Amino acid sequence: MGYRILLFDVDNTLLDFDANEEESFRSMMAEMGENWTEEIYDTYKKINSGIWKQIEKKEITVEEGVNRRFSDLMFRYGKTVDGRLWEKTYRKYLNQGIQEIPGVHQVLRELKEKGYELYVITNGVEQTQVSRLSRSGLDQYFRQLFISGRIKAGKPSREFFDYVKSHIPGFTTRESLVIGDSLSSDIKGAADAGIDACWFIRESDREVREAMLRESGLTPRYIIDELTELPQILEH
């Protein structure tokens, strides 16, 4: 399969969002005068995951979701807080997070030098994603950044992928490959758009992976657990 166009997710594909998220959450809690605990952080992640599922289903907008998540969280602990203020504080730290997936510069540099056309496809707030890609130096490898907050549609929606297709010169589905970590947004969005996908999953347990795939009902063309595997896949 001769791919020419590579469409990369950002969070937990190029940048280690899990590490950035926890560090930013800790810093926000300290600034807001609250104690960080493993329990409250786990509660936040569950709330946040549910909100992003609503966003993916277009039940709420990104702005509505992110400005609500911290007020929803603290309400669980009997406190009323300004969700917008907490979000602004959290995002201040999140924008600075540039923890990288191992080998990311090496991989992107190699692929660009070999003539692949590299693009970013990401759900998120435009300011945050642009800041993180710029601060990490990853923006230099990409021809264009497709960010849900900018184009007012997100993965896995047809609207998002139709926008991407129409804004890449000479785009063809057979020459394109989506690379991402999320089955529900990256891999499903690719499948619905008729594009091959490479699932980047850092979970190495085969049974866990198979259970996730069965639950999703999806069959990505490729599966990797190290980003550095990607060039070899593309070679063959």
Side-chain angles (χ1 to χ4, degrees), residues 9 24 55 132 138 163 180:
D9 175 47
S24 300
I55 292 169
R132 294 168 66 226
L138 295 179
Y163 183 96

Side-chain angles (χ1 to χ4, degrees), residues 48-189:
N48 191 50
S49 176
I51 283 175
W52 278 101
K53 282 184 171 59
Q54 286 184 283
I55 292 169
E56 288 175 5
K57 294 176 182 177
K58 296 187 287 187
E59 296 173 352
I60 58 174
T61 66
V62 172
E63 183 179 5
E64 289 169 340
V66 298
N67 286 321
R68 197 188 81 197
R69 54 187 173 182
F70 294 113
S71 54
D72 286 1
L73 170 67
M74 297 312 293
F75 184 77
R76 297 272 188 98
Y77 295 91
K79 297 184 178 183
T80 301
V81 302
D82 183 339
R84 288 180 178 273
L85 175 61
W86 279 55
E87 172 63 23
K88 183 178 180 180
T89 304
Y90 173 69
R91 193 151 300 281
K92 173 180 67 177
Y93 294 109
L94 198 69
N95 288 353
Q96 300 170 11
I98 56 172
Q99 297 93 329
E100 298 172 0
I101 294 295
V104 63
H105 279 278
Q106 167 198 333
V107 168
L108 296 179
R109 186 181 304 112
E110 179 182 344
L111 295 176
K112 186 176 181 181
E113 288 174 351
K114 287 182 176 178
Y116 291 100
E117 297 178 23
L118 310 185
Y119 297 88
V120 157
I121 56 168
T122 179
N123 285 349
V125 175
E126 179 179 3
Q127 179 188 7
T128 298
Q129 301 301 60
V130 169
S131 173
R132 294 168 66 226
L133 289 167
S134 175
R135 289 169 61 87
S136 64
L138 295 179
D139 59 341
Q140 65 182 299
Y141 303 111
F142 296 98
R143 296 191 174 200
Q144 195 168 348
L145 312 179
F146 295 103
I147 304 172
S148 64
R150 175 185 291 170
I151 64 180
K152 309 305 180 187
K155 301 176 292 184
S157 74
R158 283 290 182 92
E159 292 90 341
F160 181 90
F161 282 92
D162 284 347
Y163 183 96
V164 171
K165 290 177 179 180
S166 66
H167 285 76
I168 294 179
F171 182 92
T172 65
T173 54
R174 67 180 180 82
E175 293 180 301
S176 302
L177 180 70
V178 168
I179 303 98
D181 71 297
S182 172
L183 287 170
S184 63
S185 63
D186 302 312
I187 311 307
K188 185 178 190 307

